[in-house]
Amino acid sequence: MPDGQDAKRPRTRIQQRNRDLILGAALEVFSTHGFRGATLDQIATEAGLSKPNLLYYFPSKEAIHNELLSGLMDTWLDPMRALESSGEPIAELLAYVDRKLEMSRLYPRESRLFANEIVQGAPRILEALKGDLKELVDEKVAVIRDWTNQGKIADVHPYHLIFSIWSLTQHYADFDVQVRAVLGEEEPFDAAPAYLREIFLKILTP
Amino acid sequence: MPDGQDAKRPRTRIQQRNRDLILGAALEVFSTHGFRGATLDQIATEAGLSKPNLLYYFPSKEAIHNELLSGLMDTWLDPMRALESSGEPIAELLAYVDRKLEMSRLYPRESRLFANEIVQGAPRILEALKGDLKELVDEKVAVIRDWTNQGKIADVHPYHLIFSIWSLTQHYADFDVQVRAVLGEEEPFDAAPAYLREIFLKILTP
DNA sequence: CCTTCCTTTGACCGACTGGTCAAATACTGG
DNA sequence: CCAGTATTTGACCAGTCGGTCAAAGGAAGG
């Protein structure tokens, strides 16, 4: 009986394996078609399971989606949590940009899953945005404000600075096809890291 | 007989009005739910028409979507077309940023329509991206390269500079809910224009 | 071997989807 | 006013959707 309170802690190896299979397949399908655009049949096929079998491990389509989103939210914010107030300000922020861009490179599907959700009004995670996300951002904004007040980085709007970092790094995952269509043969992630480091250095230098 | 070759040039006032009604409603619905997530019933209700009546003016759901995308593509690239090689380089580029941000402020639904399409792999406009879009970008990149070669702007990667402009300006339309969730009461577009002008000035100054 | 519990699935359901069609209704020029 | 055309719609259809269920298949311990 995989459903219920202890669903997150499957007992058997086979439950663990199938849950992972389903979540992996669901990530693939949800991230490329959005929630409504995805179908259980697609996810089942992708996972190599039957549709009723999916619903043996998860109570509904929405439950799979929620599990993905909440499970990913933490990972997604890790690069920001790692921003240390004790470090050298500009180095800390450039390292954050690096980590964020690396996330886009390694986990583009996760990025697109969030992008789909947010572009469509974030109906399922709005509360998390106004809660946990805002809280974390507010905390880091305070750190950035300290740095600007001490003249250690340029006096830029801290919230919009953070939006810039999100926007520029995630762009390479979310709008991948557009970037590639315009670049032609050139690989986006070849030049992007150096470019972003360069411009953020200019933005942050007092 | 509204369908057929001359569909774009309706004769009567009533055809013009209903086509506009439908396209307006479709923009609203497609931009908030994506292509698959949108339904003809939603669009019909939003337009104040019956579903069969929609299909009297457009042959299919996809035809409405295509009409929107192709009709918007031109408008969407106008700010970039207006970038003049004869102007003062930094002023030209900053003005481009301004125009692009203004588009996001005035036409967020159009921005999200494209965002939805591209995040999901641009299945319906990939050819346009590799064709018209790339052509226009290549042309403007040549202009930017001239400016960098002449030392009139900083030596930044021209393609990635353009991606930056797209990314940062469209972010405020596409990820509107997230920006608002984090900012709380503050209005995003209050500080964004000055912030973007400030950082792009830093990026572009040699 | 049998029992018990976990896992898998074919068949099925009601709701909804994009789309059709014939008939009804408005609108137009003569 | 009328004939003809343009517009609108209720009823309907086949396919797909998320989800259910009873029954079948497996694994494990005794």
Side-chain angles (χ1 to χ4, degrees):
Chain A
M1 53 178 81
D3 282 358
Q5 309 159 334
D6 259 337
K8 270 88 180 264
R9 290 228 174 171
R11 288 161 235 269
T12 73
R13 251 151 270 134
I14 189 166
Q15 280 183 27
Q16 181 67 267
R17 181 180 58 89
N18 282 348
R19 277 182 61 89
D20 290 350
L21 238 60
I22 293 169
L23 289 174
L27 174 60
E28 179 69 28
V29 177
F30 281 135
S31 67
T32 49
H33 299 283
F35 179 75
R36 271 214 81 191
T39 72
L40 287 179
D41 288 286
Q42 279 178 289
I43 300 174
T45 302
E46 180 84 21
L49 300 172
S50 70
K51 186 172 62 170
N53 208 3
L54 286 200
L55 295 160
Y56 173 71
Y57 290 99
F58 292 90
S60 69
K61 180 186 178 183
E62 188 146 16
I64 303 177
H65 195 248
N66 285 344
E67 177 90 5
L68 270 181
L69 282 179
S70 59
L72 249 36
M73 184 72 91
D74 269 349
T75 318
W76 211 242
L77 293 179
D78 275 343
M80 181 167 232
R81 269 188 274 267
L83 205 152
E84 290 282 350
S85 62
S86 55
E88 203 285 308
I90 291 187
E92 279 292 328
L93 286 165
L94 291 184
Y96 173 45
V97 173
D98 270 354
R99 287 195 295 273
K100 203 78 181 55
L101 186 60
E102 194 66 1
M103 293 278 283
S104 278
R105 193 175 70 90
L106 294 177
Y107 308 108
R109 297 180 306 175
E110 284 81 348
S111 188
R112 278 192 284 268
L113 183 76
F114 280 115
N116 262 303
E117 176 70 9
I118 291 169
V119 167
Q120 300 188 4
R124 279 165 281 267
I125 54 162
L126 188 57
E127 293 315 307
L129 297 184
K130 292 201 260 197
D132 291 354
L133 177 66
K134 178 167 170 48
E135 195 181 331
L136 178 62
V137 171
D138 284 346
E139 180 194 323
K140 297 304 179 185
V141 159
V143 173
I144 295 174
R145 251 196 257 275
D146 275 351
W147 288 341
T148 61
N149 286 340
Q150 297 167 22
K152 297 192 172 172
I153 64 172
D155 183 26
V156 290
H157 194 300
Y159 284 102
H160 289 271
L161 173 64
I162 288 173
F163 296 149
S164 306
I165 296 173
W166 291 351
S167 163
L168 288 169
T169 53
Q170 290 175 197
H171 187 79
Y172 291 95
D174 301 344
F175 292 78
D176 180 73
V177 283
Q178 191 185 50
V179 170
R180 286 176 192 277
V182 168
L183 280 184
E185 299 299 304
E186 192 183 330
E187 191 64 24
F189 279 99
D190 284 351
Y195 171 79
L196 289 188
R197 207 171 302 126
E198 181 187 343
I199 68 167
F200 272 108
L201 184 62
K202 291 187 184 184
I203 291 170
L204 295 170
T205 303
Chain B
M1 52 177 82
D3 283 358
Q5 310 158 336
D6 259 337
K8 271 88 181 265
R9 290 229 174 171
R11 287 161 237 270
T12 73
R13 251 153 270 136
I14 189 166
Q15 280 183 30
Q16 181 67 269
R17 181 180 59 91
N18 282 347
R19 278 182 60 89
D20 290 351
L21 237 60
I22 293 169
L23 289 175
L27 174 60
E28 180 69 27
V29 177
F30 280 134
S31 67
T32 48
H33 295 96
F35 179 75
R36 273 212 79 194
T39 72
L40 288 180
D41 288 287
Q42 280 178 287
I43 299 174
T45 302
E46 181 84 21
L49 301 173
S50 69
K51 185 171 64 169
N53 208 2
L54 285 201
L55 296 160
Y56 173 73
Y57 290 99
F58 292 90
S60 70
K61 179 185 178 182
E62 187 146 16
I64 303 178
H65 195 249
N66 285 344
E67 177 89 4
L68 269 181
L69 282 179
S70 59
L72 250 35
M73 184 72 90
D74 269 349
T75 318
W76 211 241
L77 292 179
D78 275 343
M80 180 167 231
R81 269 188 275 268
L83 205 153
E84 290 282 349
S85 61
S86 56
E88 204 283 311
I90 290 186
E92 280 291 329
L93 286 166
L94 291 183
Y96 173 44
V97 173
D98 270 353
R99 288 194 296 272
K100 204 78 181 51
L101 186 60
E102 194 65 3
M103 294 278 283
S104 278
R105 193 175 70 90
L106 294 176
Y107 309 108
R109 298 179 307 174
E110 283 81 347
S111 188
R112 280 193 283 268
L113 183 76
F114 279 115
N116 262 304
E117 176 71 9
I118 291 170
V119 167
Q120 301 188 4
R124 281 165 281 268
I125 55 162
L126 188 56
E127 293 315 307
L129 297 184
K130 293 202 259 196
D132 291 353
L133 176 67
K134 177 168 170 48
E135 195 181 330
L136 177 62
V137 171
D138 285 345
E139 180 195 323
K140 297 306 181 185
V141 159
V143 173
I144 294 173
R145 252 197 256 275
D146 275 351
W147 289 341
T148 61
N149 286 340
Q150 297 167 23
K152 296 191 172 173
I153 64 172
D155 183 25
V156 290
H157 193 301
Y159 283 103
H160 289 271
L161 174 65
I162 288 173
F163 296 148
S164 306
I165 296 174
W166 290 350
S167 163
L168 288 168
T169 54
Q170 290 175 198
H171 187 79
Y172 291 96
D174 301 343
F175 292 77
D176 180 72
V177 282
Q178 191 185 50
V179 170
R180 286 177 191 276
V182 168
L183 281 184
E185 300 299 305
E186 191 184 330
E187 191 64 23
F189 280 100
D190 284 351
Y195 172 79
L196 289 188
R197 206 172 302 126
E198 181 187 344
I199 68 166
F200 274 108
L201 183 61
K202 292 186 183 185
I203 292 170
L204 294 169
T205 303

